[in-house]
Amino acid sequence: MSTTPPLESAVARLVTELDYDSIPAEAIDGARRLMQDQLAVQIGCASLPWSRTVLELTLASHSPGAAHVTGSAHTMSAADAAFVNATYGHGFEYDDAHRSSSSHPGSTVVSAALAVGEETGATLREVITGIVAGYEVYTRIGILAAPELLERGFHPHGLLSAFGAAAVVAKMRGFDAETTVHALSIAMSHSAGTTEYTSSGGSVKRLHAGIGTRNGIRAAEMAAAGITGPTTFLTGRKGFYRSYVGRPVAENAAQQFTPDAPFEITRVWIKPYCCCGINHAYIDGARQLAAKAGAVTSIRLGIQSGGDVIIGNQNAIAYAPRTIEHLQYSLPFQFALAITGHGNGFRVHHDYLSGALDLGPDSAVAEMARRVRIEVDTELDAAYPGRWVADITATYDDGSSEHVFVDNPLGTAENPMSADDLDAKFRDLTAVAMGAERSETLLKSITASDPDLPVAEFAALLRP
Protein backbone atom coordinates (compact mmCIF):
# COMPACT_ATOMS: atom_id res chain seq x y z
CA MET A 1 0.00 0.00 0.00
CA SER A 2 3.00 2.30 -0.52
CA THR A 3 1.09 4.36 -3.12
CA THR A 4 -2.04 4.65 -0.99
CA PRO A 5 -2.49 8.06 0.70
CA PRO A 6 -2.50 8.31 4.51
CA LEU A 7 -6.28 8.67 4.88
CA GLU A 8 -7.18 5.73 2.66
CA SER A 9 -4.49 3.61 4.36
CA ALA A 10 -5.82 4.52 7.80
CA VAL A 11 -9.36 3.55 6.83
CA ALA A 12 -8.20 0.15 5.61
CA ARG A 13 -6.11 -0.47 8.72
CA LEU A 14 -9.06 0.35 10.95
CA VAL A 15 -10.89 -2.54 9.30
CA THR A 16 -8.07 -5.08 9.11
CA GLU A 17 -6.61 -4.47 12.58
CA LEU A 18 -9.91 -4.43 14.49
CA ASP A 19 -10.59 -7.52 16.59
CA TYR A 20 -13.36 -8.38 19.00
CA ASP A 21 -11.18 -8.37 22.12
CA SER A 22 -9.93 -4.84 21.40
CA ILE A 23 -13.42 -3.36 21.11
CA PRO A 24 -14.38 -1.42 24.29
CA ALA A 25 -17.30 -2.75 26.31
CA GLU A 26 -19.35 0.38 25.61
CA ALA A 27 -18.88 -0.15 21.86
CA ILE A 28 -20.01 -3.78 22.17
CA ASP A 29 -23.08 -2.52 24.03
CA GLY A 30 -23.67 0.05 21.31
CA ALA A 31 -23.61 -2.72 18.70
CA ARG A 32 -26.08 -4.75 20.74
CA ARG A 33 -28.51 -1.82 21.13
CA LEU A 34 -28.14 -1.09 17.43
CA MET A 35 -28.90 -4.69 16.49
CA GLN A 36 -31.92 -4.80 18.80
CA ASP A 37 -33.42 -1.65 17.35
CA GLN A 38 -32.62 -2.44 13.72
CA LEU A 39 -34.04 -5.98 13.81
CA ALA A 40 -37.21 -4.71 15.47
CA VAL A 41 -37.68 -2.16 12.69
CA GLN A 42 -37.02 -4.79 10.02
CA ILE A 43 -39.65 -7.10 11.48
CA GLY A 44 -42.20 -4.34 12.03
CA CYS A 45 -41.74 -2.78 8.58
CA ALA A 46 -41.59 -5.95 6.47
CA SER A 47 -45.30 -5.64 5.65
CA LEU A 48 -45.17 -2.08 4.30
CA PRO A 49 -46.13 -1.75 0.62
CA TRP A 50 -42.66 -1.00 -0.72
CA SER A 51 -41.15 -3.72 1.48
CA ARG A 52 -43.48 -6.32 -0.06
CA THR A 53 -42.67 -5.05 -3.54
CA VAL A 54 -38.92 -5.28 -2.94
CA LEU A 55 -39.25 -8.84 -1.67
CA GLU A 56 -41.36 -9.90 -4.66
CA LEU A 57 -38.94 -8.27 -7.08
CA THR A 58 -35.92 -9.90 -5.45
CA LEU A 59 -37.51 -13.34 -5.28
CA ALA A 60 -37.98 -13.17 -9.04
CA SER A 61 -34.30 -12.52 -9.77
CA HIS A 62 -32.13 -13.37 -6.75
CA SER A 63 -28.95 -15.40 -6.64
CA PRO A 64 -29.06 -18.56 -4.51
CA GLY A 65 -27.43 -18.57 -1.10
CA ALA A 66 -27.74 -19.31 2.61
CA ALA A 67 -28.76 -15.87 3.91
CA HIS A 68 -32.35 -15.41 5.07
CA VAL A 69 -34.80 -12.60 4.52
CA THR A 70 -35.96 -11.37 7.93
CA GLY A 71 -39.36 -12.71 8.92
CA SER A 72 -39.44 -15.38 6.21
CA ALA A 73 -38.00 -18.75 5.21
CA HIS A 74 -36.64 -17.36 1.93
CA THR A 75 -32.89 -17.80 1.38
CA MET A 76 -30.66 -16.11 -1.17
CA SER A 77 -27.18 -14.67 -1.58
CA ALA A 78 -25.86 -12.37 1.14
CA ALA A 79 -26.05 -9.38 -1.20
CA ASP A 80 -29.68 -10.04 -2.13
CA ALA A 81 -30.83 -10.85 1.41
CA ALA A 82 -29.09 -7.75 2.77
CA PHE A 83 -30.73 -5.66 0.03
CA VAL A 84 -34.18 -6.74 1.22
CA ASN A 85 -33.42 -6.57 4.94
CA ALA A 86 -31.75 -3.15 4.77
CA THR A 87 -34.74 -1.84 2.82
CA TYR A 88 -37.02 -3.15 5.58
CA GLY A 89 -34.82 -1.54 8.21
CA HIS A 90 -34.77 1.90 6.59
CA GLY A 91 -38.31 1.66 5.32
CA PHE A 92 -40.26 3.99 7.64
CA GLU A 93 -37.92 6.62 9.12
CA TYR A 94 -37.82 4.69 12.41
CA ASP A 95 -34.28 3.32 12.25
CA ASP A 96 -31.27 4.60 14.17
CA ALA A 97 -29.42 7.77 13.28
CA HIS A 98 -25.91 9.15 13.67
CA ARG A 99 -25.89 12.85 14.47
CA SER A 100 -22.47 13.92 13.22
CA SER A 101 -22.85 12.34 9.77
CA SER A 102 -26.63 12.86 9.40
CA SER A 103 -27.09 9.24 8.41
CA HIS A 104 -28.50 5.82 9.37
CA PRO A 105 -25.75 3.20 9.64
CA GLY A 106 -27.70 0.43 11.36
CA SER A 107 -29.79 -0.76 8.42
CA THR A 108 -26.62 -1.26 6.40
CA VAL A 109 -24.17 -2.76 8.86
CA VAL A 110 -26.59 -5.06 10.72
CA SER A 111 -28.12 -6.40 7.50
CA ALA A 112 -24.74 -6.94 5.85
CA ALA A 113 -23.12 -8.57 8.87
CA LEU A 114 -25.95 -11.04 9.52
CA ALA A 115 -26.23 -11.99 5.84
CA VAL A 116 -22.48 -12.52 5.47
CA GLY A 117 -22.44 -14.33 8.81
CA GLU A 118 -25.03 -16.82 7.61
CA GLU A 119 -23.11 -17.28 4.38
CA THR A 120 -19.79 -17.95 6.14
CA GLY A 121 -21.05 -19.91 9.15
CA ALA A 122 -19.90 -17.25 11.60
CA THR A 123 -20.69 -16.71 15.26
CA LEU A 124 -22.10 -13.54 16.79
CA ARG A 125 -18.51 -12.64 17.70
CA GLU A 126 -17.66 -12.21 14.01
CA VAL A 127 -20.99 -10.50 13.32
CA ILE A 128 -20.52 -7.92 16.07
CA THR A 129 -16.95 -7.27 14.94
CA GLY A 130 -18.22 -6.77 11.39
CA ILE A 131 -20.96 -4.42 12.60
CA VAL A 132 -18.44 -2.30 14.50
CA ALA A 133 -16.00 -2.19 11.56
CA GLY A 134 -18.72 -1.18 9.13
CA TYR A 135 -20.24 1.39 11.49
CA GLU A 136 -16.91 3.07 12.17
CA VAL A 137 -15.90 3.30 8.51
CA TYR A 138 -19.35 4.53 7.46
CA THR A 139 -19.68 7.20 10.16
CA ARG A 140 -16.09 8.45 10.22
CA ILE A 141 -16.07 8.96 6.45
CA GLY A 142 -19.42 10.69 6.90
CA ILE A 143 -18.24 13.01 9.69
CA LEU A 144 -15.52 14.33 7.39
CA ALA A 145 -18.20 15.08 4.76
CA ALA A 146 -20.56 16.98 7.07
CA PRO A 147 -22.43 19.27 6.82
CA GLU A 148 -21.86 19.99 3.12
CA LEU A 149 -22.94 16.56 1.89
CA LEU A 150 -26.46 17.12 3.19
CA GLU A 151 -26.57 20.82 2.35
CA ARG A 152 -25.64 20.07 -1.30
CA GLY A 153 -28.72 17.84 -1.59
CA PHE A 154 -27.14 14.41 -1.26
CA HIS A 155 -28.69 11.73 0.94
CA PRO A 156 -25.71 10.85 3.16
CA HIS A 157 -27.04 7.35 3.83
CA GLY A 158 -27.31 6.65 0.11
CA LEU A 159 -23.66 7.60 -0.36
CA LEU A 160 -22.15 6.13 2.82
CA SER A 161 -23.98 2.79 2.95
CA ALA A 162 -21.80 1.21 0.25
CA PHE A 163 -18.67 2.05 2.26
CA GLY A 164 -20.17 0.55 5.42
CA ALA A 165 -21.23 -2.70 3.75
CA ALA A 166 -17.90 -3.12 1.98
CA ALA A 167 -16.09 -2.69 5.30
CA VAL A 168 -18.33 -5.34 6.92
CA VAL A 169 -17.44 -7.86 4.22
CA ALA A 170 -13.74 -6.97 4.29
CA LYS A 171 -13.63 -7.58 8.04
CA MET A 172 -15.70 -10.75 8.13
CA ARG A 173 -13.96 -12.33 5.14
CA GLY A 174 -10.49 -11.44 6.39
CA PHE A 175 -9.33 -9.18 3.55
CA ASP A 176 -5.81 -7.82 3.75
CA ALA A 177 -5.26 -4.05 3.72
CA GLU A 178 -4.71 -3.80 -0.04
CA THR A 179 -7.88 -5.70 -0.92
CA THR A 180 -9.80 -3.66 1.64
CA VAL A 181 -8.67 -0.42 -0.03
CA HIS A 182 -9.95 -1.70 -3.36
CA ALA A 183 -13.25 -2.87 -1.83
CA LEU A 184 -13.87 0.58 -0.38
CA SER A 185 -12.70 2.30 -3.54
CA ILE A 186 -15.07 0.25 -5.70
CA ALA A 187 -17.82 1.03 -3.18
CA MET A 188 -17.33 4.72 -3.94
CA SER A 189 -18.35 4.04 -7.53
CA HIS A 190 -21.72 2.90 -6.14
CA SER A 191 -22.35 6.00 -3.99
CA ALA A 192 -25.58 7.68 -5.09
CA GLY A 193 -28.81 9.26 -3.91
CA THR A 194 -30.20 12.75 -3.31
CA THR A 195 -32.86 14.09 -0.97
CA GLU A 196 -35.21 15.32 -3.71
CA TYR A 197 -37.75 12.85 -2.29
CA THR A 198 -38.37 15.31 0.54
CA SER A 199 -39.97 17.70 -1.96
CA SER A 200 -41.58 15.54 -4.63
CA GLY A 201 -41.81 12.20 -2.84
CA GLY A 202 -40.77 8.81 -4.13
CA SER A 203 -40.67 5.50 -2.30
CA VAL A 204 -37.23 4.81 -3.79
CA LYS A 205 -35.90 6.65 -0.74
CA ARG A 206 -36.90 3.56 1.27
CA LEU A 207 -34.54 1.54 -0.93
CA HIS A 208 -31.46 3.72 -0.52
CA ALA A 209 -30.23 1.55 2.34
CA GLY A 210 -30.83 -1.66 0.41
CA ILE A 211 -29.25 -0.37 -2.79
CA GLY A 212 -26.14 0.85 -0.98
CA THR A 213 -25.81 -2.27 1.15
CA ARG A 214 -26.09 -4.65 -1.78
CA ASN A 215 -23.67 -2.56 -3.81
CA GLY A 216 -21.15 -2.45 -0.97
CA ILE A 217 -21.23 -6.23 -0.67
CA ARG A 218 -20.83 -6.54 -4.44
CA ALA A 219 -17.93 -4.08 -4.35
CA ALA A 220 -16.12 -6.25 -1.81
CA GLU A 221 -16.79 -9.34 -3.92
CA MET A 222 -15.30 -7.55 -6.94
CA ALA A 223 -12.19 -6.65 -4.96
CA ALA A 224 -11.80 -10.24 -3.79
CA ALA A 225 -12.02 -11.35 -7.43
CA GLY A 226 -9.19 -8.99 -8.43
CA ILE A 227 -11.02 -5.87 -9.62
CA THR A 228 -9.20 -2.74 -8.48
CA GLY A 229 -10.18 0.85 -7.78
CA PRO A 230 -8.29 4.14 -7.49
CA THR A 231 -6.30 4.17 -4.26
CA THR A 232 -6.95 7.91 -3.90
CA PHE A 233 -10.71 7.34 -3.82
CA LEU A 234 -11.25 9.68 -0.87
CA THR A 235 -8.57 12.35 -1.19
CA GLY A 236 -7.86 12.51 -4.93
CA ARG A 237 -8.58 15.62 -6.99
CA LYS A 238 -11.59 13.74 -8.39
CA GLY A 239 -12.15 11.64 -5.28
CA PHE A 240 -15.07 11.46 -2.88
CA TYR A 241 -14.55 14.62 -0.85
CA ARG A 242 -13.71 17.04 -3.64
CA SER A 243 -16.44 15.64 -5.92
CA TYR A 244 -19.31 15.09 -3.50
CA VAL A 245 -18.51 17.57 -0.73
CA GLY A 246 -16.80 20.26 -2.80
CA ARG A 247 -13.67 20.55 -0.68
CA PRO A 248 -10.64 18.54 0.42
CA VAL A 249 -10.38 17.13 3.92
CA ALA A 250 -7.89 18.41 6.48
CA GLU A 251 -4.33 17.11 6.29
CA ASN A 252 -4.73 15.39 9.66
CA ALA A 253 -7.98 13.62 8.70
CA ALA A 254 -6.31 10.21 9.01
CA GLN A 255 -6.32 10.70 12.78
CA GLN A 256 -10.09 10.11 12.63
CA PHE A 257 -9.31 6.45 11.92
CA THR A 258 -6.54 5.71 14.44
CA PRO A 259 -7.08 2.97 17.07
CA ASP A 260 -7.32 5.53 19.88
CA ALA A 261 -10.06 7.59 18.18
CA PRO A 262 -13.45 7.40 19.93
CA PHE A 263 -15.80 4.66 18.74
CA GLU A 264 -18.79 6.29 17.06
CA ILE A 265 -20.94 3.21 17.74
CA THR A 266 -21.03 4.24 21.40
CA ARG A 267 -23.16 7.19 20.27
CA VAL A 268 -26.04 5.35 18.58
CA TRP A 269 -29.20 7.47 18.32
CA ILE A 270 -32.31 5.32 18.79
CA LYS A 271 -35.37 7.08 17.38
CA PRO A 272 -38.50 7.42 19.53
CA TYR A 273 -40.34 9.17 16.66
CA CYS A 274 -41.11 7.76 13.21
CA CYS A 275 -39.83 10.64 11.08
CA CYS A 276 -36.67 12.38 9.91
CA GLY A 277 -34.33 12.85 12.88
CA ILE A 278 -33.93 16.57 12.24
CA ASN A 279 -37.55 16.93 13.43
CA HIS A 280 -36.91 15.26 16.76
CA ALA A 281 -35.65 18.21 18.82
CA TYR A 282 -38.66 20.23 17.64
CA ILE A 283 -41.00 17.39 18.61
CA ASP A 284 -39.52 17.32 22.11
CA GLY A 285 -40.07 21.06 22.34
CA ALA A 286 -43.62 20.82 21.00
CA ARG A 287 -44.47 18.27 23.66
CA GLN A 288 -43.38 20.78 26.30
CA LEU A 289 -45.81 23.32 24.84
CA ALA A 290 -48.74 20.94 24.27
CA ALA A 291 -50.67 21.99 27.39
CA LYS A 292 -51.06 25.50 25.90
CA ALA A 293 -51.68 24.45 22.30
CA GLY A 294 -55.15 25.98 22.22
CA ALA A 295 -53.77 29.43 22.97
CA VAL A 296 -50.98 29.41 20.36
CA THR A 297 -51.31 32.07 17.67
CA SER A 298 -47.91 31.70 16.02
CA ILE A 299 -44.72 29.69 16.31
CA ARG A 300 -41.23 30.63 15.16
CA LEU A 301 -38.84 27.76 14.57
CA GLY A 302 -35.17 28.69 14.22
CA ILE A 303 -33.40 26.11 12.10
CA GLN A 304 -29.90 25.25 10.89
CA SER A 305 -29.07 25.58 7.19
CA GLY A 306 -28.84 21.85 6.53
CA GLY A 307 -32.08 21.18 8.35
CA ASP A 308 -33.86 23.78 6.25
CA VAL A 309 -32.88 21.87 3.10
CA ILE A 310 -34.48 18.67 4.35
CA ILE A 311 -37.51 19.56 6.50
CA GLY A 312 -37.91 23.31 6.18
CA ASN A 313 -38.48 26.02 3.60
CA GLN A 314 -36.43 24.31 0.89
CA ASN A 315 -38.72 21.28 1.15
CA ALA A 316 -41.31 22.26 -1.45
CA ILE A 317 -44.20 20.35 0.17
CA ALA A 318 -43.40 21.09 3.83
CA TYR A 319 -46.68 22.95 4.39
CA ALA A 320 -48.86 20.73 2.21
CA PRO A 321 -47.79 17.07 2.45
CA ARG A 322 -49.57 14.69 0.10
CA THR A 323 -47.63 11.47 0.63
CA ILE A 324 -46.09 9.64 3.58
CA GLU A 325 -42.61 10.74 2.44
CA HIS A 326 -43.78 14.37 2.50
CA LEU A 327 -45.23 13.98 5.98
CA GLN A 328 -42.15 12.36 7.52
CA TYR A 329 -39.99 15.21 6.18
CA SER A 330 -42.32 18.09 7.03
CA LEU A 331 -41.26 20.12 10.08
CA PRO A 332 -44.51 22.13 10.27
CA PHE A 333 -46.65 18.98 10.31
CA GLN A 334 -44.40 16.98 12.64
CA PHE A 335 -44.42 19.91 15.08
CA ALA A 336 -48.19 20.20 14.74
CA LEU A 337 -48.72 16.45 15.31
CA ALA A 338 -46.74 16.72 18.52
CA ILE A 339 -48.23 19.90 19.97
CA THR A 340 -51.82 18.80 19.23
CA GLY A 341 -51.27 15.48 21.01
CA HIS A 342 -51.53 13.16 17.99
CA GLY A 343 -47.97 11.94 18.52
CA ASN A 344 -45.20 11.10 16.07
CA GLY A 345 -44.84 7.34 16.43
CA PHE A 346 -45.20 4.33 14.15
CA ARG A 347 -48.96 4.03 14.49
CA VAL A 348 -49.88 7.62 13.56
CA HIS A 349 -47.74 7.45 10.41
CA HIS A 350 -49.11 4.03 9.50
CA ASP A 351 -52.64 5.41 9.93
CA TYR A 352 -51.83 8.28 7.56
CA LEU A 353 -50.36 5.83 5.04
CA SER A 354 -53.48 3.65 5.17
CA GLY A 355 -55.88 6.61 4.94
CA ALA A 356 -57.18 6.24 8.49
CA LEU A 357 -55.80 9.65 9.54
CA ASP A 358 -56.92 12.78 7.68
CA LEU A 359 -54.32 15.54 7.63
CA GLY A 360 -55.96 17.55 4.86
CA PRO A 361 -56.14 21.38 4.85
CA ASP A 362 -59.22 21.43 7.07
CA SER A 363 -57.70 19.22 9.78
CA ALA A 364 -56.64 20.58 13.16
CA VAL A 365 -53.06 19.49 12.46
CA ALA A 366 -52.93 21.39 9.16
CA GLU A 367 -54.43 24.46 10.82
CA MET A 368 -51.73 24.36 13.50
CA ALA A 369 -49.01 23.82 10.87
CA ARG A 370 -50.06 27.04 9.17
CA ARG A 371 -49.15 28.93 12.34
CA VAL A 372 -45.53 27.76 12.03
CA ARG A 373 -42.87 30.05 10.57
CA ILE A 374 -39.42 28.58 9.86
CA GLU A 375 -36.38 30.86 9.87
CA VAL A 376 -32.79 29.86 9.10
CA ASP A 377 -30.41 30.91 11.87
CA THR A 378 -26.78 30.63 10.79
CA GLU A 379 -25.66 31.24 14.37
CA LEU A 380 -27.05 27.81 15.16
CA ASP A 381 -24.83 26.37 12.42
CA ALA A 382 -21.74 27.77 14.07
CA ALA A 383 -22.72 26.99 17.65
CA TYR A 384 -24.00 23.43 17.19
CA PRO A 385 -22.01 21.67 14.43
CA GLY A 386 -22.91 18.01 14.07
CA ARG A 387 -26.08 18.33 16.16
CA TRP A 388 -29.66 19.07 15.13
CA VAL A 389 -31.12 21.50 17.66
CA ALA A 390 -34.47 23.31 17.97
CA ASP A 391 -34.97 26.99 18.76
CA ILE A 392 -38.70 27.54 19.37
CA THR A 393 -40.71 30.63 20.26
CA ALA A 394 -44.48 30.30 20.77
CA THR A 395 -46.72 33.38 20.88
CA TYR A 396 -50.07 33.14 22.69
CA ASP A 397 -53.43 34.87 22.29
CA ASP A 398 -52.82 37.05 25.34
CA GLY A 399 -49.72 38.54 23.70
CA SER A 400 -47.22 36.63 25.81
CA SER A 401 -44.53 34.37 24.36
CA GLU A 402 -42.53 31.37 25.50
CA HIS A 403 -39.09 30.23 24.36
CA VAL A 404 -37.95 26.60 24.32
CA PHE A 405 -34.52 25.39 23.22
CA VAL A 406 -33.73 21.68 22.75
CA ASP A 407 -30.16 20.60 22.17
CA ASN A 408 -30.18 16.85 22.74
CA PRO A 409 -33.47 15.21 21.71
CA LEU A 410 -34.66 12.00 23.28
CA GLY A 411 -32.82 8.97 21.96
CA THR A 412 -29.46 10.63 21.35
CA ALA A 413 -26.34 9.52 23.20
CA GLU A 414 -26.62 12.63 25.39
CA ASN A 415 -30.27 11.89 26.21
CA PRO A 416 -30.65 8.14 25.63
CA MET A 417 -33.79 6.06 25.69
CA SER A 418 -33.90 3.86 28.78
CA ALA A 419 -33.48 0.11 28.42
CA ASP A 420 -37.17 -0.26 29.27
CA ASP A 421 -38.18 2.16 26.51
CA LEU A 422 -35.89 0.43 24.02
CA ASP A 423 -37.45 -2.90 24.93
CA ALA A 424 -40.93 -1.41 24.64
CA LYS A 425 -40.17 -0.18 21.11
CA PHE A 426 -38.91 -3.67 20.26
CA ARG A 427 -42.08 -5.33 21.52
CA ASP A 428 -44.32 -2.79 19.81
CA LEU A 429 -42.70 -3.53 16.45
CA THR A 430 -42.32 -7.30 16.74
CA ALA A 431 -45.08 -8.80 18.90
CA VAL A 432 -47.83 -8.56 16.27
CA ALA A 433 -45.65 -9.78 13.42
CA MET A 434 -44.07 -12.77 15.17
CA GLY A 435 -46.13 -13.33 18.31
CA ALA A 436 -45.33 -12.26 21.85
CA GLU A 437 -43.54 -15.48 22.83
CA ARG A 438 -41.14 -15.48 19.89
CA SER A 439 -40.63 -11.74 20.31
CA GLU A 440 -39.48 -12.27 23.90
CA THR A 441 -37.22 -15.16 22.90
CA LEU A 442 -35.52 -13.03 20.25
CA LEU A 443 -35.17 -10.10 22.64
CA LYS A 444 -33.52 -12.28 25.27
CA SER A 445 -31.08 -13.66 22.71
CA ILE A 446 -30.09 -10.14 21.62
CA THR A 447 -29.68 -8.81 25.14
CA ALA A 448 -27.63 -11.87 26.15
CA SER A 449 -25.33 -11.31 23.14
CA ASP A 450 -23.53 -14.65 23.53
CA PRO A 451 -20.51 -14.12 21.24
CA ASP A 452 -20.17 -17.87 20.67
CA LEU A 453 -23.74 -18.33 19.43
CA PRO A 454 -23.71 -19.49 15.79
CA VAL A 455 -25.38 -17.01 13.47
CA ALA A 456 -27.47 -19.84 12.01
CA GLU A 457 -29.10 -20.40 15.40
CA PHE A 458 -29.65 -16.70 15.96
CA ALA A 459 -31.07 -16.15 12.46
CA ALA A 460 -33.55 -18.96 13.04
CA LEU A 461 -35.18 -16.76 15.67
CA LEU A 462 -35.97 -14.19 12.97
CA ARG A 463 -38.03 -16.63 10.93
CA PRO A 464 -41.72 -17.50 11.35
Side-chain angles (χ1 to χ4, degrees):
M1 295 193 7
S2 58
T3 61
T4 305
L7 179 58
E8 287 85 346
S9 294
V11 178
R13 287 197 303 273
L14 174 65
V15 175
T16 59
E17 296 175 6
L18 183 72
D19 66 87
Y20 184 87
D21 293 333
S22 70
I23 300 173
E26 57 270 25
I28 296 291
D29 185 62
R32 182 202 64 74
R33 287 169 59 87
L34 181 71
M35 188 161 61
Q36 175 177 330
D37 188 67
Q38 172 57 206
L39 292 177
V41 176
Q42 287 184 24
I43 293 165
C45 294
S47 62
L48 293 171
W50 42 85
S51 297
R52 295 196 302 269
T53 299
V54 163
L55 176 58
E56 292 168 3
L57 180 67
T58 308
L59 286 173
S61 61
H62 71 276
S63 299
H68 281 83
V69 173
T70 297
S72 80
H74 298 300
T75 59
M76 51 190 69
S77 69
D80 287 332
F83 167 64
V84 177
N85 293 336
T87 299
Y88 289 177
H90 187 58
F92 213 46
E93 307 304 328
Y94 210 17
D95 51 328
D96 63 280
H98 180 260
R99 296 181 85 180
S100 299
S101 61
S102 301
S103 57
H104 310 271
S107 55
T108 287
V109 299
V110 172
S111 299
L114 285 174
V116 173
E118 281 199 274
E119 198 170 59
T120 61
T123 64
L124 283 186
R125 183 186 307 273
E126 287 80 33
V127 165
I128 291 171
T129 306
I131 287 173
V132 174
Y135 193 99
E136 297 306 315
V137 167
Y138 175 124
T139 55
R140 297 186 202 191
I141 289 176
I143 289 171
L144 294 174
E148 293 92 341
L149 201 63
L150 189 71
E151 292 175 354
R152 287 162 67 93
F154 289 111
H155 182 203
H157 186 40
L159 273 62
L160 299 172
S161 52
F163 290 123
V168 169
V169 178
K171 179 72 261 179
M172 295 185 68
R173 290 194 174 276
F175 287 7
D176 60 21
E178 182 177 2
T179 308
T180 300
V181 165
H182 289 302
L184 294 169
S185 179
I186 296 167
M188 186 194 67
S189 290
H190 293 87
S191 294
T194 77
T195 57
E196 182 58 25
Y197 53 80
T198 64
S199 289
S200 52
S203 60
V204 69
K205 189 271 178 187
R206 315 297 186 179
L207 279 67
H208 280 185
I211 292 169
T213 302
R214 178 174 60 187
N215 288 343
I217 293 174
R218 294 294 192 205
E221 292 171 345
M222 292 177 194
I227 304 297
T228 61
T231 57
T232 55
F233 65 97
L234 293 177
T235 57
R237 188 169 63 86
K238 291 164 282 189
F240 181 79
Y241 289 109
R242 284 181 170 88
S243 297
Y244 285 91
V245 185
R247 59 165 171 76
V249 292
E251 291 185 3
N252 65 350
Q255 295 178 6
Q256 185 82 36
F257 297 86
T258 59
D260 57 349
F263 277 76
E264 293 299 319
I265 202 166
T266 64
R267 302 182 58 75
V268 172
W269 177 0
I270 304 295
K271 283 186 174 183
Y273 312 124
C274 195
C275 58
C276 175
I278 306 174
N279 289 302
H280 285 216
Y282 297 97
I283 292 170
D284 283 353
R287 294 175 67 184
Q288 295 180 39
L289 300 170
K292 299 180 181 179
V296 169
T297 57
S298 66
I299 301 156
R300 176 199 176 273
L301 302 181
I303 197 170
Q304 291 145 293
S305 300
D308 191 56
V309 172
I310 305 301
I311 62 171
N313 298 308
Q314 296 186 54
N315 178 347
I317 316 293
Y319 284 91
R322 297 193 299 270
T323 70
I324 184 63
E325 291 84 15
H326 295 158
L327 178 62
Q328 290 175 315
Y329 282 85
S330 165
L331 175 54
F333 269 74
Q334 290 299 329
F335 188 91
L337 282 169
I339 199 171
T340 59
H342 285 76
N344 308 77
F346 182 85
R347 182 50 51 194
V348 71
H349 289 92
H350 196 279
D351 285 348
Y352 177 77
L353 175 65
S354 68
L357 175 62
D358 177 17
L359 297 180
D362 296 328
S363 68
V365 173
E367 197 279 329
M368 178 63 73
R370 288 192 287 271
R371 304 182 197 181
V372 172
R373 183 179 78 258
I374 302 171
E375 295 182 357
V376 174
D377 186 342
T378 56
E379 292 185 4
L380 296 177
D381 296 346
Y384 301 95
R387 305 207 300 273
W388 299 116
V389 301
D391 188 80
I392 305 166
T393 302
T395 302
Y396 299 112
D397 53 15
D398 63 359
S400 64
S401 63
E402 183 174 359
H403 180 252
V404 174
F405 185 83
V406 179
D407 183 355
N408 300 308
L410 180 63
T412 58
E414 296 81 5
N415 184 18
M417 289 174 66
S418 67
D420 287 345
D421 286 344
L422 181 61
D423 290 351
K425 179 180 176 181
F426 182 92
R427 294 183 179 106
D428 183 51
L429 284 164
T430 62
V432 172
M434 64 192 314
E437 184 176 351
R438 288 186 64 81
S439 171
E440 290 301 318
T441 300
L442 176 60
L443 178 58
K444 288 177 182 178
S445 181
I446 295 171
T447 54
S449 295
D450 177 6
D452 296 319
L453 181 68
V455 173
E457 291 185 26
F458 178 79
L461 301 175
L462 299 170
R463 298 197 287 276

